[in-house]
Amino acid sequence: MTQPPRVAPVKDRFYARTFALVTCLVLGLALFKIVQPFLGPLLWAIFIAFLLYPLHVRLAARLRGKPQWSAALLTVLTFVVIIGPLTALSAAFAAQVGDLLQIVQDKVAGQTTGNVLNLANVPWVRQGLNWLNNTLDIDLAQLQSWITQGSKETLQTLASLTGKAFIGAIGTVVGFVLMQFMLFFFIRDGGEMVQTARELIPMAEAHKAKLFDHLAAVTRAMVYGTGMTALIQGALVGIAFLIANLPSPIVFGVIAALFALLPFGGTALVWGPAAVVLAVQGRWGWAIFMLAWGAILVSLVDNVVRPMLVSGRANVGTLTVFIGVLGGLAAFGAIGLFLGPVVLALIIALIRFRLEMRRAEVAAKALSAE
């Protein structure tokens, strides 16, 4: 006669669970310390491998089931596509930032009373300036100095922010080489890694499939919808600056691409002031061109191209994108532009799944009670 299995005492189970939890925490902390120096290249490798995985599956099938050859070809292709154009654009971006700051130094700081930007020539502005002078002892020279300094600091801040997001996509040479090295293995073995992660999640298979499908849809919606739309809008703004012979088209194109991720204002925060500057310079034809280009063509991309790219994929809420982009950029750098919204969308998805499971449990209890 077989003996029934021995049930571990509560004290032993508590010790086992506590030991397992402490061990996981220690190992998790050690793992974080190990990968922290390579966190940027690691995240970029995972992100690019995820986007290339569907292509990898089809390419591996054409190569008669040789995933290593497919992974090698895609890794080399990524190197060719990224290193050439992005390096050239980064060099041009850095050069144009310097030129733009020099223009601000020469033009704005050198304003004279005879210049069209002299606010004292406007009657109602002159009354305000007189009030400031009599009440707060602020004269026109001080106001112009503050405007000059504020303009320089604003441009420097924007250039620094966009430079971190744009040039930071490349990183150092060592970081890029590490990313390429890890990319090969994530492309080749990514399917097995994801399958292992799915098996470790303590959730019903149907919920796991729904969760992973939602995460994949959110990521691709961010890249193909929000990301590609922002890049196209930024490129159009840069082209408009180039046609209108405005300075630093690449810098303002990159700034416009970042502003396109915001839920309000968007690229109008770039082409709108550009139209005002053209009008102040007396170039009314180019000012009208800039307004028409921005209001019609650039806005058309947001209203037409974005729905086409996001169609069939999960749509990400505006607030989620806004908080995710800004927080992700501050926390993770360039990769945070996409990682931030994806993480927030994943948290929202987990909360919704838990609510659905809770409602299902409540409904099941109600039926059993009847």
Side-chain angles (χ1 to χ4, degrees):
M1 184 175 179
T2 59
Q3 294 291 333
R6 178 176 175 272
V7 179
V10 176
K11 190 174 182 180
D12 292 344
R13 292 201 301 270
F14 176 77
Y15 170 77
R17 292 175 180 175
T18 304
F19 180 82
L21 179 61
V22 172
T23 302
C24 290
L25 288 175
V26 172
L27 292 178
L29 180 61
L31 177 63
F32 176 76
K33 291 291 185 181
I34 292 172
V35 302
Q36 187 178 15
F38 319 106
L39 190 59
L42 178 66
L43 291 176
W44 272 115
I46 295 174
F47 179 70
I48 296 175
F50 170 78
L51 295 178
L52 293 178
Y53 186 73
L55 180 60
H56 165 67
V57 172
R58 294 193 292 268
L59 185 58
R62 288 181 173 272
L63 295 174
R64 300 178 180 179
K66 294 180 179 180
Q68 65 274 14
W69 288 107
S70 173
L73 288 175
L74 291 177
T75 302
V76 173
L77 179 63
T78 303
F79 176 82
V80 173
V81 169
I82 291 179
I83 196 64
L86 202 53
T87 301
L89 287 175
S90 298
F93 179 90
Q96 289 191 7
V97 166
D99 294 341
L100 182 62
L101 294 177
Q102 186 63 41
I103 291 174
V104 172
Q105 181 70 28
D106 296 340
K107 299 295 183 182
V108 181
Q111 297 302 325
T112 63
T113 56
N115 193 280
V116 70
L117 293 179
N118 190 344
L119 300 178
N121 291 333
V122 183
W124 63 269
V125 174
R126 183 168 57 249
Q127 295 176 0
L129 291 173
N130 291 334
W131 180 86
L132 287 175
N133 192 15
N134 296 330
T135 306
L136 303 176
D137 195 24
I138 298 175
D139 57 16
L140 181 59
Q142 288 177 315
L143 187 60
Q144 286 182 324
S145 176
W146 292 343
I147 293 175
T148 300
Q149 188 64 27
S151 301
K152 290 172 60 178
E153 291 180 356
T154 301
L155 285 174
Q156 287 174 342
T157 301
L158 288 174
S160 175
L161 177 63
T162 53
K164 289 179 181 178
F166 183 61
I167 302 176
I170 295 180
T172 62
V173 175
V174 175
F176 186 82
V177 172
L178 286 174
M179 187 273 287
Q180 289 290 124
F181 177 76
M182 291 184 286
L183 179 62
F184 169 80
F185 294 98
F186 281 122
I187 293 176
R188 190 190 67 178
D189 306 325
E192 297 179 5
M193 295 178 184
V194 172
Q195 185 60 35
T196 302
R198 289 187 61 163
E199 294 176 358
L200 292 174
I201 297 177
M203 186 184 293
E205 190 61 34
H207 289 291
K208 285 194 288 187
K210 188 176 180 181
L211 175 63
F212 274 77
D213 290 342
H214 179 76
L215 179 59
V218 165
T219 305
R220 292 191 171 95
M222 275 300 303
V223 175
Y224 299 122
T226 305
M228 288 300 298
T229 303
L231 290 177
I232 294 173
Q233 288 182 305
L236 289 175
V237 171
I239 291 172
F241 271 63
L242 185 62
I243 295 174
N245 198 26
L246 287 172
S248 306
I250 293 179
V251 175
F252 286 106
V254 175
I255 293 175
L258 288 180
F259 281 178
L261 300 173
L262 300 179
F264 53 86
T267 56
L269 297 174
V270 178
W271 57 259
V276 173
V277 170
L278 289 170
V280 169
Q281 293 176 348
R283 303 167 62 188
W284 291 101
W286 287 113
I288 296 173
F289 161 79
M290 184 65 68
L291 286 175
W293 184 281
I296 299 176
L297 186 59
V298 178
S299 299
L300 185 67
V301 172
D302 191 51
N303 297 325
V304 176
V305 177
R306 185 196 298 269
M308 291 175 56
L309 294 174
V310 181
S311 178
R313 301 183 175 96
N315 195 11
V316 187
T318 301
L319 183 61
T320 302
V321 174
F322 177 66
I323 298 176
V325 165
L326 296 183
L329 182 61
F332 302 104
I335 187 65
L337 291 172
F338 304 103
L339 185 61
V342 168
V343 170
L344 291 183
L346 175 60
I347 295 173
I348 294 173
L350 289 173
I351 294 174
R352 288 176 178 173
F353 287 150
R354 180 54 191 162
L355 288 176
E356 291 178 3
M357 294 173 64
R358 184 180 179 84
R359 290 168 185 164
E361 292 173 359
V362 171
K365 288 181 181 179
L367 288 174
S368 61
E370 294 177 357

